[in-house]
Amino acid sequence: MTQTISPMTLAMTGLRANLAGQKLHPAPAAPARALPEGSRMFFGIGAQKAGTTWLYDFLSRNPACHFSRNKELHYFDVRVQGGGLIFDMRLRHATALAARLASDPAARNEANFKTLQELTALLATYTGPMRGPERHRAYLDYLLEGCSPGQTACDITPAYAILDRRTFADMASIGAAKFLFLMRDPVARMWSQVRMAVGTRKLPDDELPAACAAHAQALIDTGRLLKIERADYVHTMAELEAAVPAERIMYVFYEDLFRQETADEICAWLGVPSMPAETGRRVNEGTAVAIPPEIAAAFSSAFAPQYQAIEARFGAAMPEAWRRNAPAPAPAPAPAPVAAG
């Protein structure tokens, strides 16, 4: 019996990774810590404000999926960077908690001890050798605690989108891991990120439009807009496909995510039973602020290579929202005048 595969599945599933003339890094040997019998590994990656929290909420309710106690583990990006902002933030939090234990009343100590215990366990995942079969044992011990045979072990950390092919190959060696990459219209995603950044300042609602516009303009004027690594979808796809077999990669557009059909296809691809999805729910949406036309135009121009590459790759599957925000094609050059004979 021939299996019918929908056009969306074909469009969203990774294509061949044999890029012309490109030598791939050999896949590292699998870590010594094995997954439970019948289990496999799943990584969710993406840019900020691209739907990874919604995906986490959906899959974490599925009994066939197993998550650790923390939503974003930030294991591979911290290891590759040798520390970084996330590691420092967690370390400072643990240090501050430990300093408060002596002076806090006993009742508060209990809560602080529990939080410190969790932070210590999380920080311990970064210990161990950088190479060899034991390199990920601490991470896997933490991730797989409570994982039953047959469950899919899940790590949804959007920041993994910045990793290179060598690290993706290492990740892929864990339980024949699958990867889902979430992408959102570049203009809408960038504006959502701007609103989130400005929102941390707790400004009155009537001051938000001007503050968001100023923040966006600063990104444009300083050239930082093009240095946002997780906004470079094309680079992530190239690195991922250079290291991971095509059938173990799935691409999903944010604009298609909040549909039961999409949720069903994700579950089918993962090999887990589907569940009703909260398609009308949005997570961390923030206060609505309209994007000024001049900011939208500047964002569109800056992300033109992303729009062009994604349309060339996915064709009609690229959502309409992307087409509305994509820069207009350059006009064809006028034909050269014909010399009189």
Side-chain angles (χ1 to χ4, degrees):
M1 180 176 178
T2 304
Q3 183 182 7
T4 301
I5 303 177
S6 76
M8 190 177 90
T9 299
L10 285 173
M12 295 294 100
T13 302
L15 306 180
R16 293 186 180 277
N18 297 328
L19 305 179
Q22 203 156 40
K23 292 184 179 180
L24 308 186
H25 291 288
R33 174 69 153 94
L35 271 62
E37 184 179 356
S39 295
R40 71 180 312 153
M41 188 73 209
F42 165 67
F43 293 105
I45 64 178
Q48 277 184 309
K49 314 304 289 182
T52 53
T53 300
W54 187 94
L55 179 66
Y56 167 83
D57 286 349
F58 171 63
L59 290 178
S60 64
R61 293 185 287 108
N62 195 319
C65 295
H66 169 81
F67 286 85
S68 70
R69 300 184 296 276
N70 275 273
K71 173 183 172 284
E72 296 183 18
L73 294 186
H74 284 281
Y75 171 72
F76 288 96
D77 54 316
V78 167
R79 292 268 289 194
V80 167
Q81 295 166 355
L85 182 64
I86 293 294
F87 180 81
D88 291 342
M89 181 180 68
R90 288 173 170 171
L91 193 59
R92 284 196 304 270
H93 190 187
T95 303
L97 277 172
R100 288 207 301 266
L101 288 175
S103 58
D104 276 355
R108 292 182 61 188
N109 266 347
E110 182 178 2
N112 284 336
F113 266 125
K114 286 182 179 178
T115 305
L116 182 58
Q117 206 170 23
E118 177 55 35
L119 271 170
T120 303
L122 190 57
L123 287 165
T125 64
Y126 305 125
T127 62
M130 291 296 292
R131 295 178 178 82
E134 299 289 324
R135 65 193 180 283
H136 302 315
R137 179 176 288 278
Y139 162 73
L140 291 173
D141 284 346
Y142 181 86
L143 173 65
L144 298 175
E145 182 181 348
C147 184
S148 302
Q151 281 189 306
T152 296
C154 305
D155 179 355
I156 297 180
T157 300
Y160 292 164
I162 67 171
L163 300 174
D164 61 14
R165 63 194 63 189
R166 186 174 184 82
T167 307
F168 282 138
D170 192 14
M171 296 164 70
S173 72
I174 302 175
K178 289 188 172 184
F179 296 76
L180 189 151
F181 182 32
L182 273 169
M183 298 178 288
R184 182 179 182 180
D185 166 56
V187 169
R189 192 212 65 77
M190 193 64 244
W191 183 244
S192 183
Q193 184 176 334
V194 165
R195 286 165 41 222
M196 180 182 69
V198 172
T200 61
R201 293 155 56 183
K202 308 295 183 185
L203 298 173
D205 285 354
D206 61 346
E207 295 182 19
L208 283 176
C212 288
H215 185 86
Q217 192 63 53
L219 289 173
I220 296 164
D221 293 343
T222 60
R224 284 185 289 156
L225 194 63
L226 296 178
K227 296 177 183 177
I228 299 173
E229 292 177 294
R230 279 191 272 165
D232 190 349
Y233 304 150
V234 177
H235 175 78
T236 298
M237 291 166 62
E239 295 301 300
L240 195 57
E241 293 176 7
V244 182
E247 66 275 8
R248 285 159 54 188
I249 304 171
M250 185 176 191
Y251 298 116
V252 175
F253 291 117
Y254 170 92
E255 293 77 12
D256 294 331
L257 181 61
F258 310 102
R259 301 173 184 171
Q260 187 63 50
E261 175 193 3
T262 306
D264 292 342
E265 295 211 14
I266 290 172
C267 289
W269 175 75
L270 279 176
V272 301
S274 190
M275 294 178 62
E278 295 179 317
T279 55
R281 181 168 179 255
R282 300 295 181 270
V283 183
N284 300 330
E285 197 167 20
T287 305
V289 178
I291 183 171
E294 65 276 12
I295 297 295
F299 281 2
S300 177
S301 176
F303 293 121
Q306 299 295 320
Y307 284 107
Q308 293 162 3
I310 296 300
E311 183 172 24
R313 173 66 176 271
F314 295 103
M318 188 174 86
E320 183 58 32
W322 288 56
R323 300 181 190 283
R324 288 196 300 268
N325 284 330
V338 178

